[in-house]
Amino acid sequence: MLSLAGIAVGIAVLIGGGTLLVRGASEIATRHNISPIVVGLVILGFGTSSPELVINILGALSGHTELAFGNAVGSNIANLGLILGVSALVMPMVIESSIVRRELPLLLLATTMITVLALDGPLEGERAIIGRSDSFVLLLVFSIFVYITVLDMFRVRDGDALLTEIAGHSKVVAPDAVRLPWLLVVAGLTLLLFGGEMTIRSSTVFAESVGLPTAVIGLFVLALGTSMPELVTCIIAAMRGEPDLALGNVVGSNIFNALVVLPAAGLISKVSVPDGGIGDLAASWVLAAVLIPVFFLGKARLGRGMGLLLLAAYGAYIAYRVFWV
């Protein structure tokens, strides 16, 4: 189908645009002597989530808020079920970073907050939505998270595993041409907008042609496509024996999706929670909750058995959501 091909091309353009944007921003930051750790956190956080952010903003502007909801929540489910599961199969993970351990509970809190905010409507006999006031609350929580993270970056003990790995990945050699980084940023933003518009339009046509709700298309088709940067980053990190980087990428991306990507759409237009949407939030919460005893008890090890379990849970949820809900 032409619409499915359009989705694939649009997502590819989105990923390419995000890559150029991150590279340009990293080189600009390096020129201004910004800490390599800050650059690394930007690459892992904003960079890998920029496709989801653009999809949600353009989706809200065009009135496709269910697509925006499915994209944000579906990306979180894919990150925890598919991407973390694949990474564990490639290389079992032993987590040492105190930062990752702190962010896991925050991810649970963020998912819980979204669920509670979405339930306001049904409890009052109205449709479940994420409104502007809800979005402001989520963005406020994100600003507090950023503030605490920046403080911890200066207070953390030397030798923290995640900060060491980030610093090793964020050494950028600035090119001789002064204008090149800015051109990369402009080109990246242009590709993000073009790819986002193509993806939204093609997804709507595809949903209508196959008779599936747009939320389901966002939940799995778009979410899987826009999660490819996270998948590549995690597999490479796992193969290089850097498990903190892999898990930090997944958890950081999920926090960004929950506290920035989803409320960004909610500020523009009320985000309607589709039928089954509360269940999607619950699935995301359960997958995050499973990691708490894994990384806080015992040897903090995510082995291949747990990886297979995460993949099986993700596959089962896809089947349930597509064929039964």
Side-chain angles (χ1 to χ4, degrees):
M1 292 182 182
L2 290 177
S3 56
L4 191 58
I7 294 175
V9 172
I11 290 174
V13 173
L14 277 169
I15 294 173
T19 301
L20 292 179
L21 177 62
V22 168
R23 180 182 171 189
S26 299
E27 291 176 354
I28 291 170
T30 301
R31 288 178 181 275
H32 291 83
N33 297 319
I34 296 176
S35 168
I37 289 176
V38 175
V39 177
L41 288 173
V42 170
I43 292 174
L44 294 177
F46 173 76
T48 55
S49 293
S50 56
E52 288 95 330
L53 181 61
V54 172
I55 286 288
N56 273 33
I57 291 175
L58 294 180
L61 288 172
S62 61
H64 298 295
T65 57
E66 290 190 353
L67 196 66
F69 178 90
N71 178 47
V73 178
S75 292
N76 280 10
I77 295 174
N79 285 346
L80 294 170
L82 174 66
I83 295 174
L84 204 55
V86 170
S87 300
L89 289 179
V90 172
M91 183 69 66
M93 302 182 190
V94 178
I95 305 301
E96 302 174 8
S97 173
S98 60
I99 293 178
V100 170
R101 290 170 180 261
R102 186 201 62 224
E103 290 181 357
L104 276 171
L106 177 62
L107 177 57
L108 274 178
L109 174 63
T111 307
T112 303
M113 286 182 62
I114 295 173
T115 306
V116 172
L117 292 172
L119 286 172
D120 278 350
L123 291 176
E124 297 177 0
E126 300 176 358
R127 184 173 178 80
I129 62 168
I130 301 294
R132 288 186 175 89
S133 59
D134 301 330
S135 299
F136 275 118
V137 170
L138 294 173
L139 288 170
L140 177 61
V141 173
F142 181 74
S143 66
I144 296 172
F145 162 70
V146 172
Y147 174 74
I148 294 174
T149 300
V150 172
L151 285 182
D152 280 359
M153 284 169 52
F154 294 102
R155 295 175 179 173
V156 72
R157 298 189 304 271
D158 293 336
D160 183 276
L162 179 59
L163 296 185
T164 300
E165 290 167 7
I166 287 176
H169 279 258
S170 55
K171 296 176 181 178
V172 180
V173 179
D176 295 333
V178 176
R179 296 180 180 178
L180 179 58
W182 291 103
L183 292 176
L184 290 175
V185 169
V186 173
L189 288 172
T190 302
L191 289 176
L192 282 170
L193 292 174
F194 176 75
E197 178 63 28
M198 176 183 292
T199 304
I200 291 290
R201 186 172 60 250
S202 300
S203 298
T204 305
V205 174
F206 180 71
E208 293 174 351
S209 65
V210 298
L212 284 175
T214 53
V216 173
I217 300 300
L219 192 65
F220 298 115
V221 179
L222 292 190
L224 280 173
T226 55
S227 292
M228 286 302 103
E230 286 93 336
L231 178 60
V232 173
T233 300
C234 285
I235 289 177
I236 292 175
M239 292 177 65
R240 295 182 59 168
E242 297 172 334
D244 292 275
L245 194 64
L247 184 64
N249 178 41
V250 167
V251 176
S253 177
N254 278 25
I255 291 174
F256 194 85
N257 287 340
L259 298 180
V260 177
V261 172
L262 185 58
L267 288 178
I268 298 171
S269 178
K270 294 179 180 180
V271 176
S272 298
V273 178
D275 294 337
I278 301 298
D280 299 331
L281 290 170
S284 177
W285 190 93
V286 169
L287 286 172
V290 166
L291 299 179
I292 297 294
V294 171
F295 292 120
F296 281 81
L297 302 175
K299 298 181 179 179
R301 184 177 187 274
L302 184 67
R304 290 189 171 90
M306 192 64 186
L308 284 173
L309 182 61
L310 290 173
L311 285 173
Y314 182 71
Y317 191 73
I318 288 180
Y320 166 75
R321 195 66 170 85
V322 172
F323 296 107
W324 281 282
V325 178

